[in-house]
Amino acid sequence: RLAGSVGSTLRAVRAGWPAVVAAFDRVPRVLVHGDCLPKNIHVVATPGGFEVVPVDWGNAGWGLPASDLGQSTLSFGAPPIGRASYGAYAGALGPAWPACDVAVVRYLANLGRLLWSVKVIAMSVPGFVHDRLDKVEQHLSAYASVLAASARQWDRTA
């Protein structure tokens, strides 16, 4: 049942792929972390307050602005690092990309989360070598829930 649900959602994403391509055509490319989960974001105290230090840049590359913002709110049992500030992100991009606003950032963050979930499912399924089926189901279920939620949100905004 879980695999069927994932397959159904992936087929819907594939059917909407022209909208993904169109999104890439409309926005500038930026350097993205690619795996911007709380486990890869460290907050370090400094004399002036704090500094955010992203680690594990193995998936970095050129991508959609705000795509890391969508991943940063996923916790998978770890404490969340905070809420995404779409307004602050849009404001920071404003001088270089005046057409960017909160709605665009929200759309791109969700699309980034959707693409991340497709990536981790594609990378994880062939490598599931666990002695316990419940462990496989636990991981796939977590990824599938992110995929399904992101696909529903993306479908409403595409």
Side-chain angles (χ1 to χ4, degrees), residues 10 17 47-48 57 64 67 74 87 92 104 111 116 140 142 150 153:
L10 289 173
W17 199 251
W57 285 83
L64 293 171
S67 59
L74 299 172
V104 169
L111 182 55
W116 174 87
L140 185 56
S150 297
Q153 185 70 22

Side-chain angles (χ1 to χ4, degrees), residues 32-59:
V32 296
H33 183 278
D35 196 20
C36 199
L37 298 174
K39 68 178 183 159
N40 292 330
I41 301 171
H42 297 255
V43 179
V44 179
T46 65
F50 68 91
E51 183 178 335
V52 177
V53 181
V55 297
D56 188 4
W57 285 83
N59 291 302

Side-chain angles (χ1 to χ4, degrees), residues 99-157:
C100 184
D101 62 14
V102 172
V104 169
V105 170
R106 188 178 311 278
Y107 173 78
L108 293 173
N110 188 67
L111 182 55
R113 191 171 39 250
L114 175 74
L115 295 173
W116 174 87
S117 61
V118 170
K119 174 189 78 170
V120 296
I121 289 171
M123 289 172 47
S124 298
V125 170
F128 276 138
V129 187
H130 291 284
D131 294 336
R132 297 180 13 218
L133 184 58
D134 61 324
K135 197 74 164 161
V136 172
E137 186 174 10
Q138 176 187 10
H139 284 95
L140 185 56
S141 181
Y143 300 151
S145 68
V146 172
L147 174 68
S150 297
R152 281 191 305 274
Q153 185 70 22
W154 173 62
D155 193 41
R156 287 195 298 266
T157 59

